[in-house]
Amino acid sequence: MNIAAVGPKASSLVCPSCRANVVTRVEHKATTKTHIIALVLCLFLCWPCICIPYCMDSCQNADHYCPSCNAYLGTYQG
């Protein structure tokens, strides 16, 4: 569930939990999409290419957190 409209990069907003004006802390997480891209690269290109999706933020979700209270603020699905 998205609490705030967030993008792939850190966003400025008011934290609904602590009411502070913050720039979000972003953690990128691999998803099923990331694993599928890695599998396709492995099958059709070469096995050293499988690390590419894990190094690219655009192939992962961006979870946003408040740097003050660590509250979850939303996810951008890349």
Side-chain angles (χ1 to χ4, degrees):
M1 171 176 100
N2 276 350
I3 297 171
V6 291
K9 306 238 183 230
S11 304
S12 296
L13 51 83
V14 175
C15 175
S17 180
C18 68
R19 304 286 182 217
N21 285 321
V22 298
V23 175
T24 60
R25 174 176 49 88
V26 179
E27 294 181 9
H28 290 90
K29 305 260 170 117
T31 64
T32 302
K33 175 183 158 186
T34 310
H35 303 311
I36 290 171
I37 292 169
L39 177 63
V40 169
L41 288 172
C42 179
L43 293 174
F44 295 106
L45 294 175
C46 60
W47 67 269
C49 295
I50 64 171
C51 66
I52 292 172
Y54 299 101
C55 298
M56 295 178 60
D57 292 342
S58 62
C59 293
Q60 302 178 28
N61 284 355
D63 293 337
H64 291 256
Y65 298 91
C66 174
S68 297
C69 68
N70 291 319
Y72 170 76
L73 300 174
T75 295
Y76 175 80
Q77 296 181 350

